[in-house]
Amino acid sequence: MAFLLKNAHVVDPQCGIDGIRDVKIDGERIVEVGEGLAADGCEVVDLSGKILVPGLVDMHVHLREPGYEHKGTIESETRAAAKGGFTAVCSMPNTDPVTDNGTVIEYVKSVAEREGHCRVYPAGACSKGLKGEIIAEMGDMVAHGAVAFTDDGRGVQGAGMMRRCMDYGKMFDKTFLSHCQDEDLVGDGQVNEGVVSTRLGLLGWPAEGEEIQIARDIALARLTGAKLHIQHISTARGLDLVRAAKAEGLPVTCEATPHHLFLTEDALDGTYDTRLKMNPPLRTAADAEALIAGVADGTVDAIATDHAPHAAWEKSREFELAPFGTTGIECALALVLTKLVAAGTIDYGRMVELMSVAPRRILGVEVASIAPGSVADITVFDPAATWTVGAEGYESKADNCAFEGMELTGRATDVFVGGKRALVDGVVC
């Protein structure tokens, strides 16, 4: 179908646009951008008072399928993504079977094409079975559509193994997404090691357990020339390591999650709320402040959710037994709008860079912009809409959201994926 999106405030730093425009879509592409465009038979969608940006991409999402459908499915979690304003997600490989070969990549893609509500870009594992022992079938995965490599959820423990993965995998010109966790040091850690872990009587997860592997993988990127992306960075010192690597000219990027930006270990109390159990854990207020500064100064390249749905019974267990992770894809945009844009820390253009432009660049997928000829992946949001997280339930199969009950301002209203409507007036198609 053809659409004419009228009177939207278009923000796209790639095109230097920040003002009221009309956007015409015909089929999968944007065909015209301007002022006072004629409908010419298009379905007219009035977007007065709303902001239109290139489609958001969440480059760190756990869809759970195949193997963990009791937690979430490709259908349910892409539905949640569309509700949150995302036009694409990058799926992590810690499924069952592990996404470590072309067959599983093809399965994820085929289910997403049939049942998905947004694009799905699968990431393949670095090692077979995520065991860190044998290099996964990288060439096979790339041939079937893998966009990156990662052993997310555990990380490659051996430096020699990580070096071999990077040496071999760099021939495919894909980025290595690094989950930095030194298991020897982290052990059975549950929360950030410090005052809160002591007060609650929980095993500590020291910041150094993350920072040591950040430093190691930056050194390996220097050695091999492979592109490195640090996932869910959570500490000030870790961010300093990335900042130094960038200054050196190394191909290193990083992401921060909303929960590491806007929550701290101080949220943990005697209720032992397992929705606040993350990997890496919630850190100190000083760490969160440093990450927000990194978002503002450009050290943090992307905001990604690490959306991790779990079944209610799993999160209802004792804190030590409950799995790590929170959902967040349905409220991430609103959190950024409320906590960063409305607060004056960043503007809409920087938000687009963090949540649309940089994720596509890091993953090496097709660019989306508000320009003629671009694929029509578009996110529209109402910056004045107020709502409460979880008050209306969730599109995700899971409800383990750490932000439940928080009042936010700003919400996605419309999403177009390849010119097709995925979200209409806040309702998933």
Side-chain angles (χ1 to χ4, degrees):
M1 292 184 65
F3 297 94
L4 178 61
L5 312 184
K6 293 284 291 183
N7 306 316
H9 180 169
V10 176
V11 179
D12 186 355
Q14 302 166 105
C15 306
I17 300 177
D18 187 353
I20 304 300
R21 299 287 191 280
D22 297 341
V23 179
K24 186 176 290 186
I25 301 170
D26 190 356
E28 296 183 356
R29 300 280 163 178
I30 295 172
V31 293
E32 193 173 1
V33 178
E35 300 178 53
L37 299 183
D40 296 329
C42 296
E43 178 180 338
V44 177
V45 182
D46 186 7
L47 299 178
S48 298
K50 297 177 182 177
I51 297 178
L52 183 153
V53 301
L56 306 185
V57 177
D58 189 342
M59 63 179 297
H60 191 158
V61 170
H62 298 272
L63 299 180
R64 301 306 189 195
E65 187 177 358
Y68 300 107
E69 286 84 356
H70 66 288
K71 298 173 184 280
T73 64
I74 290 171
E75 191 280 331
S76 68
E77 303 320 298
T78 57
R79 172 181 286 272
K83 180 70 172 182
F86 290 89
T87 60
V89 299
C90 179
S91 61
M92 296 297 104
N94 54 340
T95 51
D96 185 15
V98 171
T99 309
D100 60 5
N101 60 75
T103 300
V104 186
I105 292 285
E106 198 61 46
Y107 172 83
V108 172
K109 287 177 56 184
S110 64
V111 174
E113 289 170 3
R114 184 174 68 250
E115 302 177 11
H117 297 270
C118 70
R119 300 184 192 274
V120 175
Y121 299 120
C126 292
S127 67
K128 287 189 176 182
L130 303 178
K131 294 179 179 179
E133 298 169 353
I134 302 171
I135 296 175
E137 299 173 19
M138 292 181 174
D140 185 36
M141 290 188 286
V142 169
H144 285 86
V147 299
F149 301 121
T150 179
D151 271 12
D152 181 56
R154 179 166 183 253
V156 178
Q157 294 302 300
M161 180 64 187
M162 188 63 173
R163 187 242 172 112
R164 288 190 291 275
C165 288
M166 295 173 88
D167 264 335
Y168 179 71
K170 71 180 180 182
M171 74 172 75
F172 304 109
D173 195 32
K174 301 297 181 185
T175 301
F176 285 83
L177 315 177
S178 183
H179 175 117
C180 294
Q181 176 179 338
D182 186 322
E183 290 186 350
D184 281 345
L185 187 54
V186 171
D188 294 323
Q190 302 290 310
V191 298
N192 184 53
E193 185 173 298
V195 173
V196 174
S197 65
T198 302
R199 173 166 51 82
L200 296 178
L202 295 171
L203 291 174
W205 200 120
E208 287 77 6
E210 179 180 351
E211 294 156 0
I212 286 171
Q213 281 210 348
I214 292 175
R216 182 202 74 176
D217 286 354
I218 288 172
L220 292 175
R222 183 186 300 112
L223 175 65
T224 64
K227 293 184 289 187
L228 174 67
H229 177 79
I230 304 300
Q231 297 179 296
H232 43 46
I233 196 163
S234 70
T235 79
R237 288 190 298 269
L239 191 64
D240 285 340
L241 291 168
V242 172
R243 186 177 283 114
K246 288 173 176 282
E248 189 181 336
L250 297 177
V252 176
T253 55
C254 73
E255 69 190 36
T257 70
H259 49 272
H260 289 119
L261 289 167
F262 309 129
L263 295 174
T264 72
E265 63 176 1
D266 297 326
L268 291 155
D269 57 24
T271 63
Y272 295 89
D273 188 344
T274 59
R275 291 174 298 183
L276 301 175
K277 183 179 179 180
M278 323 294 190
N279 183 348
L282 299 178
R283 303 291 189 185
T284 67
D287 287 316
E289 290 171 6
L291 294 181
I292 290 173
V295 166
D297 70 21
T299 305
V300 173
D301 298 272
I303 291 176
T305 66
D306 192 10
H307 176 78
H310 291 291
W313 66 266
E314 294 173 308
K315 278 291 195 177
S316 295
R317 292 183 291 178
E318 295 90 335
F319 199 93
E320 295 90 337
L321 300 178
F324 292 97
T326 179
T327 58
I329 203 165
E330 296 181 50
C331 58
L333 170 61
L335 284 162
V336 171
L337 293 173
T338 303
K339 302 289 189 179
L340 296 179
V341 177
T345 303
I346 62 173
D347 59 17
Y348 288 123
R350 176 67 178 139
M351 184 212 77
V352 172
E353 291 173 352
L354 288 159
M355 302 184 74
S356 177
V357 179
R360 285 189 171 85
R361 183 178 65 248
I362 293 165
L363 296 173
V365 300
E366 183 176 6
V367 171
S369 64
I370 310 304
S374 172
V375 64
D377 285 7
I378 293 170
T379 298
V380 179
F381 59 89
D382 181 349
T386 58
W387 61 290
T388 302
V389 178
E392 304 166 3
Y394 301 94
E395 296 292 343
S396 171
K397 195 171 184 177
D399 62 0
N400 55 294
C401 182
F403 295 99
E404 183 161 313
M406 186 173 289
E407 295 183 1
L408 301 175
T409 301
R411 197 172 195 181
T413 60
D414 298 87
V415 168
F416 293 82
V417 181
K420 297 179 181 179
R421 305 194 78 170
L423 185 71
V424 180
D425 291 331
V427 178
V428 180
C429 296

